[in-house]
């Protein structure tokens, strides 16, 4: 049976209907977005400009920052503009595009976090073979796997949602388009569709999360054979990775590892996943990373020196 679609746009209820609340949220999310952009762009520029950060870990970290930057940009500007308006609408095509982009970059990030865990396992448990195993070709291949996996995951979500019939209700009780709110609006029985969405999203998040926790547990257990200095460095690196994994996967599991349903707390979890986690990632990865902080200081010093030479050119002897 062909799908019937009479809906040309959706109405987004947003986070709050209070005018004062919307103004406060606009300022808060604008600051969060600025911090997210500056932090992630700073990480990318620092890694690209610093020869000392040429290891695979920083190669993957740069692409994680790229994912967070694009992921936030796909959602934040539209959401902040909507906070300035009483009625918030999004066209059907824009809504479908947002679903695809959201799940594309989120899916790629899931696989990239697994790749980063494997990188730490090889670096800590097989240090003598690290550069042989994690050579540039392998790193690029793993990155391509992450992008391809994210694309395929998002394509499945998109195709399932796009072919659903929307023939009347068009009010989404959220600030963005997502799978479960759209399933609620479809003019058909979406129980089996919801189960397939749960398998493609929630189950993958849940299984991956526990695999990552076990992996980092194995890595931390192996640290007992390392020296004190190496043990501390590896521990702080793994601790930052585990923190990012928890921040990303806990909201993901809560939102998608369940049958099609909507709860009031979903909005808060979506905010954590789309705003807070991309903002905190740069802070977490640089806070206890001496190499990254030293590279940033050196980059800053070089920039200041270039500016000074431009403002105060050296006098030439006549």
């Amino acid at each position: 049976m062909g799908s019937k679609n009479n809906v040309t746009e959706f109405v987004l209820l947003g986070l709050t209907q209070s005018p004062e609340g919307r103004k406060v949220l606009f300022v808060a999310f604008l600051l969060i977005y600025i911090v997210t952009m500056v932090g992630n762009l700073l990480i990318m520029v620092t890694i690209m400009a610093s020869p000392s950060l040429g290891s695979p870990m920083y190669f993957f970290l740069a692409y994680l920052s790229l994912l967070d930057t694009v992921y936030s940009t796909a959602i934040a500007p539209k959401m902040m503009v909507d906070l300035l308006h009483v009625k918030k609408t999004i066209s059907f095509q824009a809504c479908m595009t947002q679903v695809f982009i959201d799940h594309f970059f989120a899916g790629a990030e899931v696989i990239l976090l697994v790749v980063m865990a494997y990188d730490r396992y090889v670096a800590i448990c097989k240090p003598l073979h690290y550069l042989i195993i994690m050579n540039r070709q392998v790193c690029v291949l793993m990155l391509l796997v992450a992008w391809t996996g994210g694309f395929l995951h998002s394509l499945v979500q998109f195709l399932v949602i796009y072919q659903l019939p929307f023939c009347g209700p068009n009010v989404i009780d959220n600030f963005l388009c997502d799978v479960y709110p759209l399933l609620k609006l479809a003019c058909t029985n979406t129980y089996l569709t919801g189960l397939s969405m749960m398998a493609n999203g929630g189950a993958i998040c849940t299984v991956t999360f526990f695999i990552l926790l076990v992996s980092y547990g194995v890595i931390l257990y192996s640290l007992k054979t390392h020296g004190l200095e190496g043990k501390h460095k590896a521990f702080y690196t793994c601790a930052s990775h585990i923190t990012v994994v928890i921040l990303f996967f806990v909201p993901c599991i809560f939102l998608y590892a369940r049958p099609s349903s909507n709860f009031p707390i979903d909005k808060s979890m979506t905010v954590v996943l789309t705003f807070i986690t991309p903002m905190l990632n740069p802070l977490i990865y640089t806070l206890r990373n001496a190499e990254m902080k030293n590279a940033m200081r050196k980059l800053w010093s070089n920039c200041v020196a270039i500016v000074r030479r431009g403002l105060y050119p050296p006098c030439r002897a006549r």
Side-chain angles (χ1 to χ4, degrees), residues 7 11 15 18 77 95 100 114 117 120 212 214 231 245 248 250 254 256 268 280 304:
V7 173
V11 177
L15 292 172
S18 166
C95 181
F100 180 83
V114 174
R120 289 301 83 205
L212 287 173
V214 171
K231 185 183 297 185
V245 165
F248 181 84
V250 170
F254 180 86
Y256 301 111
S268 300
L280 291 180
V304 171

Side-chain angles (χ1 to χ4, degrees), residues 14-79:
L15 292 172
T16 179
Q17 301 301 312
S18 166
E20 293 77 15
R22 292 202 304 270
K23 293 176 183 178
V24 171
L25 289 175
F26 174 81
V27 174
F29 285 118
L30 177 61
L31 293 175
I32 290 173
Y33 182 64
I34 292 173
V35 172
T36 301
M37 293 297 104
V38 171
N40 284 293
L41 289 174
L42 182 59
I43 284 182
M44 287 187 284
V45 171
T46 301
I47 292 174
M48 288 188 293
S50 304
S52 61
L53 302 180
S55 69
M57 180 180 79
Y58 295 110
F59 174 79
F60 295 129
L61 178 57
Y63 278 96
L64 179 65
S65 293
L66 175 63
L67 285 174
D68 284 336
T69 300
V70 181
Y71 185 54
S72 293
T73 303
I75 296 171
K78 164 66 177 170
M79 186 261 208

Side-chain angles (χ1 to χ4, degrees), residues 115-184:
V115 169
M116 294 176 74
Y118 177 73
D119 172 72
R120 289 301 83 205
Y121 168 77
V122 176
I124 294 171
C125 299
K126 300 178 183 292
L128 298 179
H129 302 91
Y130 177 59
L131 293 179
I132 298 175
I133 297 174
M134 299 299 294
N135 59 64
R136 181 57 57 143
Q137 290 80 7
V138 170
C139 291
V140 172
L141 179 61
M142 289 181 168
L143 191 63
L144 289 175
V145 169
W147 286 108
T148 304
F151 175 79
L152 293 176
H153 160 74
S154 182
L155 184 63
V156 171
Q157 304 285 79
F158 171 80
L159 291 177
V160 171
I161 292 297
Y162 192 81
Q163 59 83 35
L164 289 176
F166 297 96
C167 53
N170 68 334
V171 178
I172 298 176
D173 188 15
N174 211 322
F175 60 88
L176 51 71
C177 289
D178 204 359
V179 172
Y180 284 168
L182 288 172
L183 287 180
K184 185 178 179 181

Side-chain angles (χ1 to χ4, degrees), residues 276-305:
I276 305 303
T277 299
M279 178 191 68
L280 291 180
N281 281 354
L283 301 177
I284 293 169
Y285 279 115
T286 58
L287 195 60
R288 302 303 296 265
N289 191 317
E291 290 179 336
M292 180 66 74
K293 289 190 288 188
N294 290 335
M296 286 182 175
R297 292 192 193 101
K298 186 176 180 180
L299 181 64
W300 175 255
S301 299
N302 292 339
C303 291
V304 171

